[in-house]
Amino acid sequence: MAANDKIQIALIGCGGMGQGDARNQTLQPNTKLVAACDIYQSRLEHMRELYGPDTYTTRDYREVLARKDVDAVLIATPDHWHARITTEALQAGKHVYCQKPMVKRVDEGLGVIAAEKASGKVLQVGSQYVSSHVFLKARELFQQGALGELNLVEAWLDRNTAMGAWQYSIPVNLQQSDIDWDRFLGNAPKRPFEPIRLFRWRNYGDYGTGVAGDLFIHLLSGLHTVVGSIGPTTVFASGGVRYWKDGRDAPDVMLAVLDYPKSQAHPAFTLALRVNLASGVATEQFGFRFVGSEGIMTAAYNTLRLEKHTRETAPGYSIGTLAQKDQDAFLADYRKKYPPSTAPIAPDSDFKFTAQADAHRLHHQAFAESIRGLRPPVEDATFGFRAAAPALLCNESAEKGQAFRWDPVTMRRS
């Protein structure tokens, strides 16, 4: 596709994230939304209100994939549809932007990667921190050795509101005829019409991937962007429903510890993840602490701070419990090994960076530029799966109470 060709897109899944994706994508130059698909009639009506009465709408995504005027699709369905629709869209010759996680189950990942390679089309996973100026700046500092030797990363995303805990609004006067219930269920277990499971699908393991698949995956994507990692080798997590006892089966609190092996890009380090949907904070809190031997880098949505501290030039000593003659002997030897330095002590430093651009919009810009051949995809299927798999293993670990081994090279359980 030439750099100035119009990109015609379709949205599959017209909920909050989907409509946000459509808005950010159509803000890109020479891009137009021509079709929309959702299983809820009211959302299709709203898409026509937003994009014009000529917008093609349907409840069946296969009708969108069959259209010759659709160049690319944005997939923002519940998680249990991601792999299937992504694969079929690639096979239909469409470029694909798929919301994270790219897959709901670990065993779906390699199939999506194969479909991407066979298609020759662009697949970009929708985890916007990959395109964030904050995380790109953090990567630059990390690659410059600003932290010394990395040993620990802590990352968290805490919320304390009903909307933050996915208690999304359920329309009044809802009729079952307004919704294609069977299509929503797809390959999930069959059950009678129950609107709460559609409008709050993230709360249920049949359709969503919980805090790990929705939020840990952002943290993993950001981490992998900064340090150039392909993933951990060990995953252990613990969590449960601690506050939002509204019928959900997805934990509202989860902690995880992941071990990352040494690679060409980074030393071995430990990652600690946390999500708490009843955290007691007034506003959502998101952040990273990259801890190294020579400094700490703290990242948030739009800010980055690097604190560097002067390391000791001698180890010090603890000889106060020894006889005086032994203290004197130790000190004589110590001063030979560590003579007083006459060089000026380097001052501690504190570097701060603020990003102005919106990461969501930057991520959609990257997708459009990849379709036009101006850049390689920034979050292809392999990157997306290497972030998704550890997140999904966190769910399994918390459920079964055991650690899991993962091979980030072959992208298989080990």
Side-chain angles (χ1 to χ4, degrees):
M1 176 174 283
N4 60 349
D5 285 350
K6 177 172 287 186
I7 301 173
Q8 300 201 134
I9 64 171
L11 174 62
I12 302 175
C14 303
M17 283 304 305
Q19 292 193 28
D21 285 341
R23 180 170 57 253
N24 280 308
Q25 200 64 62
T26 54
L27 287 172
Q28 306 306 317
N30 219 11
T31 301
K32 180 182 178 181
L33 186 136
V34 297
C37 172
D38 199 273
I39 53 98
Y40 179 35
Q41 190 62 32
S42 180
R43 286 178 175 161
L44 295 179
E45 293 173 6
H46 189 51
M47 292 298 291
R48 288 193 292 270
E49 291 170 351
L50 291 172
Y51 294 97
D54 294 334
T55 303
Y56 176 80
T57 59
T58 177
R59 294 184 179 188
D60 187 343
Y61 73 89
R62 293 170 297 184
E63 294 181 0
V64 169
L65 300 185
R67 292 183 66 90
K68 302 297 185 184
D69 62 343
V70 172
D71 302 307
V73 294
L74 312 176
I75 300 172
T77 62
D79 298 346
H80 69 306
W81 276 102
H82 284 187
R84 177 175 174 177
I85 298 179
T86 294
T87 299
E88 292 183 18
L90 291 168
Q91 292 170 344
K94 312 302 183 187
H95 302 287
V96 174
Y97 182 105
C98 180
Q99 265 300 328
K100 49 74 195 163
M102 185 184 80
V103 295
K104 184 179 183 296
R105 303 191 319 270
V106 172
D107 61 14
E108 296 173 319
L110 295 179
V112 175
I113 292 173
E116 175 198 41
K117 291 179 179 178
S119 72
K121 297 298 179 179
V122 172
L123 168 57
Q124 180 172 311
V125 181
S127 187
Q128 67 271 13
Y129 300 114
V130 173
S131 297
S132 164
H133 285 171
V134 166
F135 287 87
L136 296 179
K137 185 65 175 180
R139 180 172 68 186
E140 176 187 327
L141 294 172
F142 176 77
Q143 291 177 343
Q144 291 172 356
L147 296 178
E149 184 168 321
L150 180 71
N151 58 73
L152 172 69
V153 180
E154 300 170 299
W156 59 91
L157 207 162
D158 289 339
R159 296 172 173 174
N160 195 38
T161 64
M163 290 296 105
W166 313 318
Q167 283 198 327
Y168 301 137
S169 302
I170 299 174
V172 297
N173 302 321
L174 186 67
Q175 303 296 316
Q176 186 168 351
S177 59
D178 296 331
I179 291 170
D180 190 335
W181 179 248
D182 288 337
R183 193 177 301 280
F184 161 67
L185 292 178
N187 61 5
K190 301 302 179 185
R191 62 173 56 246
F193 181 60
E194 194 174 357
I196 191 172
R197 285 182 165 261
L198 168 62
F199 292 97
R200 299 179 183 176
W201 59 266
R202 290 192 186 279
N203 292 328
Y204 303 95
D206 285 347
Y207 328 109
T209 51
V211 296
D214 186 38
L215 303 176
F216 275 3
I217 198 164
H218 278 312
L219 304 177
L220 288 160
S221 298
L223 168 69
H224 292 182
T225 297
V226 173
V227 305
S229 179
I230 62 172
T233 52
T234 305
V235 176
F236 179 76
S238 178
V241 180
R242 310 305 185 201
Y243 179 81
W244 295 101
K245 299 174 183 178
D246 53 6
R248 70 180 65 199
D249 55 46
D252 57 11
V253 172
M254 186 175 284
L255 304 176
V257 177
L258 296 81
D259 287 330
Y260 279 72
K262 181 179 180 180
S263 73
Q264 291 184 341
H266 57 73
F269 66 91
T270 299
L271 170 66
L273 299 175
R274 183 187 79 235
V275 166
N276 186 351
L277 300 185
S279 59
V281 297
T283 58
E284 180 174 288
Q285 293 187 353
F286 162 88
F288 274 86
R289 290 180 76 245
F290 297 87
V291 181
S293 58
E294 298 177 11
I296 295 175
M297 190 161 56
T298 306
Y301 288 113
N302 295 309
T303 60
L304 178 68
R305 181 180 182 184
L306 171 63
E307 302 168 83
K308 290 182 69 67
H309 303 287
T310 304
R311 286 189 61 82
E312 59 191 7
T313 57
Y317 45 83
S318 55
I319 58 175
T321 61
L322 305 180
Q324 188 61 50
K325 63 181 178 56
D326 292 323
Q327 292 188 39
D328 294 342
F330 181 93
L331 287 173
D333 180 70
Y334 183 86
R335 286 166 181 154
K336 288 178 183 178
K337 292 179 180 178
Y338 307 105
S341 174
T342 58
I345 298 176
D348 293 350
S349 63
D350 191 346
F351 168 82
K352 296 179 181 179
F353 171 82
T354 301
Q356 303 299 327
D358 177 75
H360 286 277
R361 194 164 301 178
L362 290 171
H363 209 46
H364 283 277
Q365 178 184 332
F367 181 53
E369 291 176 351
S370 296
I371 291 174
R372 293 192 165 100
L374 300 177
R375 63 188 297 177
V378 297
E379 190 178 1
D380 63 7
T382 299
F383 187 107
F385 184 46
R386 282 177 166 151
L392 300 177
L393 290 175
C394 286
N395 279 334
E396 287 193 47
S397 176
E399 179 182 352
K400 297 179 180 179
Q402 67 184 72
F404 285 93
R405 297 284 296 172
W406 175 250
D407 186 334
V409 177
T410 64
M411 294 174 283
R412 298 179 185 273
R413 298 171 189 264
S414 60

